[in-house]
Amino acid sequence: MEIYIDILILQNVVMNYLILFMTSKLSKTRISNLRLLLGSLVGASYVVFLLLFPEMKIYYTTVAKILLSLFIVAVTFYPPEFKSFMRILAIFYISTFIFAGAAFAFLYFNKTGGLIQNGIFYIFADSKWSMMFFSSVTVCIIVKIFWDLIQERFIKDNLCIPLKIVFENGIIDLHALVDTGNSLHDPLTNAPVVVVEFNAIKDILPKDIQNIFEESKEEDLVRATEIISDSKWFSRFRLIPFTSLGKENGMLIGFKPDYIEIGENTDKKGVSDVIIGIYNRTLSKNNNYNALLSPELV
């Protein structure tokens, strides 16, 4: 069997990237594409090293592979705490097993698809990309199904938690509903969006931004854009498209806070990479909550 090292490297970089990408999603750790690529290259270089120096048997051992996984996670995610590191490492192993299981399944149904030798996964030229594609699709379906089950089992629709929003010198404390249907993201930065009632947050907003909502001009995008453009907070504000909250093809005016705090006491979590979407209506009929929080922030 002929092995093309450039194809082997590319295959491993792609698979490693997908595994690390899924790890970042499941662990709710936001990592740049550059970091993901760097971790992928670390894993791929190990495979190339084994091919160039096959006589060094120590690198085929379980200990060596565990050390490699530790290094990949450290390079990609650089978690500051030991507890966080072990959590991400465990999710990395789970992601790897899911991808490996999907790949083995397709190898089983396509006996000419590839083989495993000395711990290296080889995919033959006539099926490599199709198998990687179908393996990735299968993994996405599996993760989606199990993620929905986890959310349904552990994140109830009536779960309300404390939320603190800090913007410049203003601080607002309110309660947020963990809403599994809130999948809004800022189209520019892909940051998750927390939907908050205007009346609950207006005290920390600049006066010119308050006027937009008090005069119900938020749906007049031309006028709202003019006001925001003239505001000194222009760089902090966003326009976020949405198709829920009782309206299709709508647009929320949002802003980037200094940070938010979710939960309380020992479960408190600070998040800075987030957008607050301002909703000029009531979210709760009985006023139990004033915001809708995405499950990925919990």
Side-chain angles (χ1 to χ4, degrees):
M1 179 182 66
E2 293 183 349
I3 298 175
Y4 298 93
I5 192 168
D6 55 340
I7 295 178
L8 183 64
I9 292 174
L10 182 58
Q11 289 174 357
N12 278 272
V13 168
V14 171
M15 293 305 293
N16 290 338
Y17 185 93
L18 292 174
I19 291 171
L20 291 171
F21 178 79
M22 188 170 76
T23 301
S24 70
K25 291 299 182 182
L26 293 179
S27 64
K28 302 177 184 178
T29 305
R30 298 182 63 83
I31 295 296
S32 67
N33 291 325
L34 181 60
R35 280 281 179 176
L36 293 174
L37 180 59
L38 183 60
S40 303
L41 290 173
V42 170
S45 63
Y46 178 79
V47 174
V48 176
F49 186 85
L50 294 182
L51 289 176
L52 296 177
F53 305 99
E55 70 282 357
M56 302 184 69
K57 302 299 183 182
I58 187 173
Y59 293 103
Y60 295 99
T61 64
T62 301
V63 173
K65 293 172 182 176
I66 291 176
L67 291 176
L68 172 66
S69 61
L70 293 173
F71 186 55
I72 291 175
V73 171
V75 168
T76 307
F77 298 96
Y78 52 96
E81 300 178 355
F82 178 77
K83 182 179 179 181
S84 176
F85 180 87
M86 295 307 296
R87 174 176 169 271
I88 295 176
L89 180 65
I91 296 174
F92 172 76
Y93 282 136
I94 293 172
S95 303
T96 303
F97 295 153
I98 292 175
F99 267 96
F104 274 122
F106 284 105
L107 282 180
Y108 178 80
F109 289 108
N110 180 13
K111 294 183 179 180
T112 62
L115 59 86
I116 291 180
Q117 184 176 10
N118 294 329
I120 302 177
F121 191 25
Y122 301 94
I123 306 175
F124 296 163
D126 60 347
S127 64
K128 57 181 180 294
W129 298 117
S130 61
M131 199 195 75
M132 291 176 67
F133 172 76
F134 286 115
S135 297
S136 300
V137 171
T138 301
V139 167
C140 291
I141 294 173
I142 293 172
V143 171
K144 174 63 176 175
I145 292 173
F146 277 94
W147 184 244
D148 288 345
L149 289 175
I150 291 172
Q151 287 185 341
E152 183 180 350
R153 176 65 178 85
F154 296 103
I155 304 180
K156 303 301 183 180
D157 286 343
N158 61 353
L159 177 60
C160 292
I161 57 178
L163 173 66
K164 176 184 290 186
I165 300 174
V166 179
F167 181 70
E168 290 299 316
N169 296 322
I171 299 176
I172 291 291
D173 290 296
L174 40 81
H175 282 83
L177 171 70
V178 179
D179 181 14
T180 57
N182 179 11
S183 58
L184 287 176
H185 285 78
D186 176 21
L188 292 179
T189 63
N190 200 38
V193 176
V194 180
V195 181
V196 181
E197 294 177 0
F198 166 68
N199 288 330
I201 202 175
K202 68 177 183 180
D203 290 342
I204 66 171
L205 294 175
K207 189 61 180 177
D208 49 356
I209 304 300
Q210 290 184 32
N211 292 337
I212 296 176
F213 295 91
E214 290 175 344
E215 299 173 11
S216 299
K217 295 179 180 177
E218 71 275 6
E219 296 185 1
D220 184 352
L221 294 182
V222 175
R223 180 56 182 155
T225 302
E226 290 177 353
I227 296 175
I228 293 174
S229 300
D230 294 334
S231 172
K232 66 176 182 178
W233 310 108
F234 171 71
S235 62
R236 302 281 291 265
F237 280 81
R238 309 279 194 274
L239 290 178
I240 306 159
F242 69 92
T243 56
S244 58
L245 300 173
K247 181 178 180 179
E248 294 186 357
N249 301 320
M251 194 73 69
L252 281 179
I253 296 175
F255 68 94
K256 182 174 176 55
D258 294 338
Y259 65 93
I260 65 172
E261 287 184 356
I262 303 168
E264 57 187 345
N265 302 327
T266 58
D267 294 329
K268 185 182 297 183
K269 175 183 178 182
V271 180
S272 58
D273 192 8
V274 67
I275 299 295
I276 303 299
I278 308 170
Y279 186 58
N280 201 12
R281 297 178 187 174
T282 302
L283 292 171
S284 172
K285 294 181 180 180
N286 50 17
N287 202 34
N288 285 341
Y289 55 89
N290 311 102
L292 299 179
L293 197 64
S294 172
E296 70 178 274
L297 290 171
V298 179

